[in-house]
Amino acid sequence: MKFDLFELAGQVAVVTGCNTGLGQAMAVALAEAGADIVGINKSAPVDTCRAVEALGRRFLDLRADLADIAVIPRLIAEAQTLTGHVDILVNNAGIIRREDALHFRVSDWDEVMAVNLKAAFFLAQALARLCIEQGRGGKIINVASMLSFQGGIRVPSYTASKSGVMGLTKALANEWAAHGINVNAIAPGYMATNNTAALQADEARNAAITARIPAGRWGKPADMAGPVVFLASQSSNYVNGYTLAVDGGWLAR
Ligand code: NAP
């Protein structure tokens, strides 16, 4: 059997929020498979840039706060101008706010929805327009969550945004599959990153979460590598609108 189904040489992938955590691991995995990377970050992606370049791949460093979607057309245009074409988008940047629903503030609602859902949609739209113009298809990978499937507690805007991400993944897949654009999502389970630092530090919650995961451990950023390369490569050409859980069995339980 040939394994070049996962080859990404000659492809360019935009990854948002890749200075750390899951985004960093996915950017490096895509580079390992042969893609050049365009990082869209608020903070300097120093380690990611170094890791991608050490693999002999190009890393283009674009900076933006995705809470403001006005920056998006410029970002995608700049990515195309500087790399020639863009083929893959990983909508990874995301934030979470924790508070009882009874006391949840408008600003915590708006900030989470702006980054997790609104920016993800308008980045996907910008990439799809470009892919149609380029005429060579494309791959859009959204980052969903267990809270695309479950309700969670004290995270209403996060749950709403990630449930929206899963719905949007299906909606966009339906509209763009005929253009050769695959839209899918990855729903990470409990992964050890900055995003879950508070949960990891809470001894009781940490133990309860670990006990409920069939795999018996929290996920690591590197657990995203295979799934993202699969969804970015020709291996998944007939996979449309699907949200793949990478959760150590959490949802199966
Ligand atoms: P993380 O370590 O907190 O990383 C989040 C990334 O998003 C960072 O690069 C961050 O940049 C970026 N970001 C946040 N707000 C941004 C903005 N306004 N503009 C541009 N970039 C922004 O979290 P992570 O765990 O790797 O999370 C990555 C994705 O996975 C998120 O969508 C998250 O919701 C999702 N997820 C995580 C888990 C988990 O267990 N960790 C589970 C399910 C889903 P800065 O560092 O500059 O703030």
Side-chain angles (χ1 to χ4, degrees):
M1 180 173 174
K2 288 173 76 184
F3 287 98
D4 57 3
L5 276 171
F6 299 95
E7 175 67 54
L8 296 179
Q11 309 272 306
V12 177
V14 170
V15 185
T16 66
C18 66
N19 63 308
T20 183
L22 306 185
Q24 179 177 65
M26 290 191 283
V28 173
L30 294 169
E32 276 175 335
D36 288 329
I37 307 298
V38 178
I40 299 180
N41 287 287
K42 258 190 328 178
S43 315
V46 182
D47 295 340
T48 312
C49 178
R50 195 175 297 136
V52 167
E53 289 179 348
L55 291 162
R57 304 266 55 93
R58 186 167 174 208
F59 185 89
L60 177 62
D61 177 7
L62 301 183
R63 300 290 173 81
D65 182 344
L66 292 171
D68 176 10
I69 59 159
V71 298
I72 289 173
R74 171 186 66 78
L75 291 169
I76 297 298
E78 213 171 317
Q80 186 208 13
T81 306
L82 295 172
T83 63
H85 54 93
V86 182
D87 311 284
I88 299 159
L89 166 67
V90 183
N91 262 322
N92 169 76
I95 54 174
I96 192 163
R97 298 282 184 268
R98 298 177 191 279
E99 179 55 274
D100 293 346
L102 283 177
H103 305 298
F104 212 75
R105 291 185 312 199
V106 172
S107 57
D108 285 338
W109 179 269
D110 288 345
E111 283 166 24
V112 170
M113 295 301 275
V115 178
N116 294 11
L117 189 56
K118 191 172 180 182
F121 171 70
F122 284 100
L123 276 160
Q125 182 193 61
L127 187 82
R129 287 175 174 169
L130 178 61
C131 286
I132 291 166
E133 195 184 303
Q134 292 173 161
R136 42 188 272 171
K139 303 278 183 179
I140 297 173
I141 300 147
N142 296 319
V143 177
S145 166
M146 295 295 94
L147 301 189
S148 304
F149 300 89
Q150 302 176 305
I153 296 173
R154 303 185 74 246
V155 286
S157 59
Y158 188 80
T159 302
S161 71
K162 293 298 185 178
S163 298
V165 164
M166 187 162 81
L168 194 58
T169 298
K170 292 184 263 194
L172 300 182
N174 292 339
E175 290 203 35
W176 298 340
H179 295 286
I181 301 169
N182 298 76
V183 187
N184 291 291
I186 298 175
Y190 285 85
M191 317 295 276
T193 66
N194 298 338
N195 176 290
T196 51
L199 274 184
Q200 293 171 69
D202 180 333
E203 247 175 67
R205 289 291 308 278
N206 189 333
I209 288 167
T210 308
R212 194 194 174 285
I213 300 171
R217 65 167 177 88
W218 285 59
K220 302 183 293 254
D223 290 316
M224 300 290 281
V228 78
V229 170
F230 166 64
L231 291 176
S233 68
Q234 58 175 318
S235 310
S236 58
N237 278 355
Y238 202 59
V239 180
N240 298 83
Y242 194 71
T243 296
L244 172 63
V246 177
D247 65 350
W250 177 273
L251 287 180
R253 184 151 175 168

